[in-house]
Amino acid sequence: MLKLSADKRRIEKNEEPFFYLADTVWSAFTNIDLADWAYYLKIRKEQGFNVLQINILPQWDRSVLGEVAEPFEVKDGYLHLPTKNEAYFTHAEKMLEMAVSYGFTPALVLLWCNYIPETWASKFGFSPTFRKEDIKPYTEMMLTHFDRFNPIYIISGDTDFPTENVTNYYLDALETVAEKAPQALKVLHICGRLKEIPEKLQSHPALDLYFYQSGHNSEHQAMAYTLAGHFSQLTPVKPIINSEPCYELMGYSRQKYGRFSREDVRKAAWQSVLSGAVAGITYGAHGVWSWHDVGSTFGSNLGEGFVAPYNWRQAVRFKGADDYAFLKSFILANDLTNLMPVNNILNNTPEIRAAETDKLVLIYVPSNVPIYVKGQFLSEADYAIDLEQGTQVKLIKKQHTNKTEIQMTPFLKDSIYVIHK
């Protein structure tokens, strides 16, 4: 069972620090047979992931190959709870039994935004929605199916909050989970670049975590660190996670030409964690989240309108997953779950991010340039890690009045500097 640390900044499991490393597989319940699921789980377990983010209901922009099961019939444009498809939920429960047996914590989305009237996605009219009076019974129904797997409940999916009515839909779900499953961690997944959460949700005692989404817009990748900084300043204090940074080889949103590289997604992860989102990070591979296969159709031109994914069997082996797993292992091995941002020590671009403990300063350097750090850092044990190749070198430093110059490393791409106080 996961719980919050005493200072409310971290997650713990069995009284030990837990670094949330999630893979995004939103469309799992509708798209994956059990044999493929077992193959997928084995790979992600070997890579070091410990959480799986799954949409309970069909993901509107998933890949589709043939017929897929629906959880409910539709009546008058609404999901009709009395027509629940038991086979759909039996399959989902079997998937979670397998995932938990591998050591994964499920993070289950209750209400993706297209199912809630008045949200940005509901306005396209491509899916049924919920009646307000059905939110509590639906949430209770989902708890009867899934609570035995000790999931994190993600109350909303990719949502905005354009009206009080939308807020109240999510409030009903949050309070139902709080009443019926008080031990479970609860969080909102909000839409890309959003930072304002309605006060009645943000300050609600049942909301345990802050998720933000730096997203897939190539012009706004600074959100990885600016939103981490924003949520770090909020009260009440909660653990912070970038739950949807750019996905590896996802096309840029709005059909802009290009795809996010391994280096792009690694950069988003380190910038997030060193800027305040130290409770964990979520990875996504373009092809896994939608479960794309040979012959699949994909998504829609509505919304972000992303270009075609890769086959999931290829995407599950993208190298960025290993980079995220290294980040997790590095944080835990060096007892760094209590990192605090400290970017006022740098005289450089804001893309270079820094955080500290009482013993160390970590600096993420996305491009190899000399940097200047305020203060005198004299340890001979300071080193840098090439984040793509995994090689390590001793840092070459030069002392100036009130600052330390750290000279260029031989690395060709981004790196992390480990500096002793």
Side-chain angles (χ1 to χ4, degrees):
M1 179 71 66
L2 302 182
K3 67 175 187 178
L4 301 187
S5 62
D7 63 5
K8 308 298 185 184
R9 294 186 180 276
R10 296 169 290 133
I11 304 172
E12 294 179 345
K13 183 175 184 179
N14 300 327
E15 310 302 325
E16 296 292 332
F18 180 87
F19 187 86
Y20 177 110
L21 180 61
D23 189 33
T24 307
V25 61
W26 298 131
S27 56
F29 289 167
T30 54
N31 281 44
I32 307 177
D33 66 33
L34 296 183
D36 284 343
W37 185 236
Y39 174 75
Y40 162 84
L41 291 173
K42 181 176 184 295
I43 292 172
R44 286 297 191 239
K45 176 66 174 180
E46 290 172 349
Q47 291 167 327
F49 287 83
N50 54 20
V51 179
L52 302 174
Q53 293 183 177
I54 302 172
N55 190 355
I56 291 175
L57 299 173
Q59 181 75 20
W60 70 271
D61 54 354
R62 68 192 185 277
S63 299
V64 177
L65 182 65
E67 293 187 9
V68 295
E70 297 290 342
F72 302 99
E73 292 181 10
V74 178
K75 184 176 181 180
D76 299 325
Y78 296 103
L79 291 170
H80 189 51
L81 299 189
T83 60
K84 181 177 65 168
N85 180 354
E86 292 293 347
Y88 180 97
F89 291 98
T90 298
H91 177 68
E93 288 182 60
K94 180 59 179 176
M95 292 179 71
L96 294 188
E97 287 175 3
M98 294 168 65
V100 169
S101 73
Y102 273 87
F104 291 102
T105 295
L108 304 179
V109 180
L110 285 165
L111 297 164
W112 204 269
C113 63
N114 58 291
Y115 295 103
I116 303 300
E118 303 176 51
T119 62
W120 71 268
S122 70
K123 295 177 182 178
F124 295 123
F126 51 74
S127 64
T129 57
F130 279 99
R131 299 181 304 168
K132 178 70 160 49
E133 59 266 31
D134 285 336
I135 292 298
K136 289 185 177 181
Y138 161 76
T139 303
E140 291 176 354
M141 186 185 295
M142 296 304 100
L143 293 175
T144 64
H145 283 289
F146 302 126
D147 201 50
R148 65 189 175 97
F149 303 110
N150 295 319
I152 297 169
Y153 288 105
I154 306 177
I155 304 300
S156 65
D158 203 23
T159 200
D160 56 355
F161 303 95
T163 67
E164 185 80 2
N165 190 46
V166 169
T167 299
N168 289 334
Y169 267 80
Y170 291 125
L171 183 63
D172 282 354
L174 175 64
E175 292 186 339
T176 302
V177 177
E179 177 186 354
K180 302 295 184 180
Q183 77 290 345
L185 296 183
K186 298 162 287 294
V187 66
L188 300 165
H189 179 276
I190 58 180
C191 66
R193 306 190 302 280
L194 185 68
K195 64 180 182 179
E196 302 300 333
I197 299 174
E199 174 64 22
K200 65 170 66 175
L201 291 172
Q202 188 247 313
S203 63
H204 198 289
L207 192 71
D208 298 301
L209 312 170
Y210 291 129
F211 274 8
Y212 71 90
Q213 180 190 162
S214 58
H216 315 289
N217 189 306
S218 61
E219 297 176 0
H220 296 286
Q221 287 303 294
M223 290 288 181
Y225 55 86
T226 60
L227 288 177
H230 168 78
F231 282 97
S232 295
Q233 300 303 311
L234 294 185
T235 53
V237 170
K238 307 177 195 288
I240 302 165
I241 295 169
N242 187 349
S243 61
E244 193 169 336
C246 53
Y247 294 164
E248 189 166 9
L249 288 173
M250 176 82 99
Y252 302 149
S253 66
R254 312 302 178 192
Q255 296 289 332
K256 184 178 177 181
Y257 180 77
R259 293 180 186 262
F260 290 103
S261 68
R262 173 187 179 183
E263 189 174 1
D264 292 328
V265 301
R266 186 172 63 235
K267 177 180 178 180
W270 281 98
Q271 287 181 332
S272 299
V273 169
L274 296 191
S275 302
V278 74
I281 190 71
T282 298
Y283 172 76
H286 194 38
V288 171
W289 71 270
S290 66
W291 211 256
H292 197 76
D293 211 336
V294 176
S296 294
T297 59
F298 170 66
S300 168
N301 288 327
L302 299 173
E304 300 281 8
F306 299 110
V307 296
Y310 289 79
N311 182 285
W312 72 266
R313 293 173 183 83
Q314 181 181 10
V316 77
R317 296 289 189 180
F318 288 166
K319 291 297 185 182
D322 298 325
D323 295 332
Y324 275 52
F326 171 77
L327 192 163
K328 171 201 160 193
S329 63
F330 182 84
I331 293 292
L332 292 177
N334 292 282
D335 193 22
L336 298 173
T337 56
N338 59 344
L339 279 170
M340 295 295 289
V342 63
N343 286 291
N344 61 353
I345 69 168
L346 297 169
N347 288 322
N348 301 87
T349 169
E351 289 201 1
I352 299 175
R353 309 305 297 175
E356 66 177 353
T357 67
D358 59 344
K359 297 178 181 179
L360 296 175
V361 176
L362 293 189
I363 302 177
Y364 173 74
V365 183
S367 295
N368 194 3
V369 296
I371 67 171
Y372 295 86
V373 183
K374 295 178 182 176
Q376 302 292 308
F377 294 92
L378 305 175
S379 173
E380 293 295 316
D382 297 346
Y383 62 96
I385 302 171
D386 182 325
L387 291 173
E388 185 152 311
Q389 300 300 325
T391 55
Q392 181 175 314
V393 298
K394 179 180 177 180
L395 285 176
I396 307 297
K397 298 173 294 182
K398 184 178 180 180
Q399 300 301 320
H400 301 272
T401 303
N402 297 324
K403 64 182 178 182
T404 300
E405 176 187 354
I406 302 176
Q407 298 182 12
M408 286 175 56
T409 69
F411 303 151
L412 300 180
K413 293 190 176 180
D414 56 336
S415 55
I416 191 79
Y417 293 176
V418 181
I419 300 173
H420 297 78
K421 290 183 174 179

